[in-house]
Amino acid sequence: MLTIYGKTLSSRLFLGTAQYPSPAILADAARASNPAMLTVSLRREMAGGQTGSGFWDVVRELGIDLLPNTAGCHSAKEAITTAQMARELFGTDWIKLEVIGHHDMLQPDVFGLVEAARALSAEGFKVFPYTTTDIGVAERLLEAGCEVLMPWCAPIGSARGPQDVQALKSMRGYFPDVPLVVDAGLGRPSHAMTVLEHGYDAVLLNTAVAGADDPVGMARAFALAVDAGRLAFESGMLEPRDMAVPSTPTFGMAEFS
């Protein structure tokens, strides 16, 4: 089981709630995949009780823990203010921290990210930072109070999958005891299975499910892939070899003269 900030999670899949064709399809996708948490945007719910009430009613009825995010924030100050508002609105100290540094690539502003993580941790927030695979930045985030790291594997919404598997493996190896959640860039269930096979603890995704022709079916496929990847990691996979190795024992084979 995966434990983060002292809470044992029911799944290794975190699911976003944006871009679904309808709230009903979002609900069906969540039921099909049974994620540990649903991420929600403060901007989406700012209209709670007004234009966003239908969405909010659906999310609440699912009974799944929420992970508010600071999507769209481009400075530490914006992110801190958004997190404070999210805590008041959603009643949780958990926050997915995003501080975007580049408009086109949606890369994290790692300087603003560390600054915001330090300030929010001091206020008692449980921070889930969207970051890169830079180990130096990761160390700063841990020093700032984060107990989990969420590196991307490709640009947000790109569906490219793991672009630098070696960097992901290095991060896993350098932080063997820190929960690592790949956030952003996953496009196919096989991408999720790959990162779980390399020892990552969970994945967070949104567009790959919400943008599929059948979001409910894709949500279920991702849930199965996450379970398969984790089981493969725990079962111990063979390392690739340069030379062929016969799978059938040669002992006792017939001799032909």
Side-chain angles (χ1 to χ4, degrees):
M1 300 295 286
L2 173 60
T3 300
I4 301 178
Y5 287 118
K7 182 180 179 63
T8 299
L9 305 181
S10 60
S11 165
R12 296 177 182 274
L13 175 65
F14 304 169
L15 193 63
T17 56
Q19 305 179 37
Y20 286 84
S22 70
I25 293 177
L26 160 63
D28 288 343
R31 294 189 187 99
S33 57
N34 193 28
M37 289 187 287
L38 292 173
T39 63
V40 292
S41 166
L42 180 63
R43 290 182 302 170
R44 181 72 178 267
E45 184 48 30
M46 278 293 288
Q50 301 173 32
T51 60
S53 60
F55 165 80
W56 180 229
D57 288 343
V58 167
V59 169
R60 281 191 301 186
E61 289 173 0
L62 288 170
I64 299 172
D65 288 337
L66 299 182
L67 179 62
N69 65 49
T70 62
C73 292
H74 289 260
S75 71
K77 183 179 180 181
E78 288 180 9
I80 293 168
T81 301
T82 300
Q84 293 167 338
M85 295 171 67
R87 177 162 61 181
E88 182 175 344
L89 184 62
F90 295 108
T92 177
D93 291 332
W94 290 33
I95 190 77
K96 179 193 168 189
L97 180 61
E98 292 185 24
V99 181
I100 299 301
H102 192 278
H103 290 278
D104 293 334
M105 299 305 293
L106 299 180
Q107 292 172 309
D109 171 359
V110 296
F111 304 101
L113 182 68
V114 172
E115 178 185 349
R118 182 176 294 109
L120 291 172
S121 295
E123 293 185 21
F125 280 91
K126 309 298 188 293
V127 179
F128 291 66
Y130 161 61
T131 184
T132 68
T133 53
D134 187 306
I135 290 177
V137 173
E139 287 182 324
R140 300 299 184 278
L141 289 169
L142 296 175
E143 291 169 1
C146 298
E147 296 184 10
V148 57
L149 299 169
M150 300 182 70
W152 71 348
C153 71
I156 293 175
S158 68
R160 293 179 183 173
Q163 298 293 284
D164 191 342
V165 172
Q166 188 55 53
L168 291 172
K169 291 173 63 176
S170 296
M171 196 169 194
R172 177 71 287 174
Y174 195 80
F175 301 109
D177 300 321
V178 176
L180 298 179
V181 181
V182 163
D183 177 13
L186 298 173
R188 300 182 179 186
S190 58
H191 297 160
M193 187 161 60
T194 295
V195 297
L196 267 293
E197 286 176 350
H198 288 301
Y200 273 67
D201 296 288
V203 297
L204 192 159
L205 53 98
N206 189 155
T207 307
V209 169
D213 291 342
D214 176 5
V216 178
M218 189 60 72
R220 180 60 180 154
F222 266 101
L224 292 172
V226 166
D227 288 344
R230 182 64 187 182
L231 180 59
F233 172 73
E234 293 176 342
S235 300
M237 296 176 292
L238 292 179
E239 291 298 323
R241 295 165 172 162
D242 293 331
M243 303 298 290
V245 178
S247 56
T248 302
T250 56
F251 177 77
M253 290 186 64
E255 296 183 2
F256 301 96
S257 57

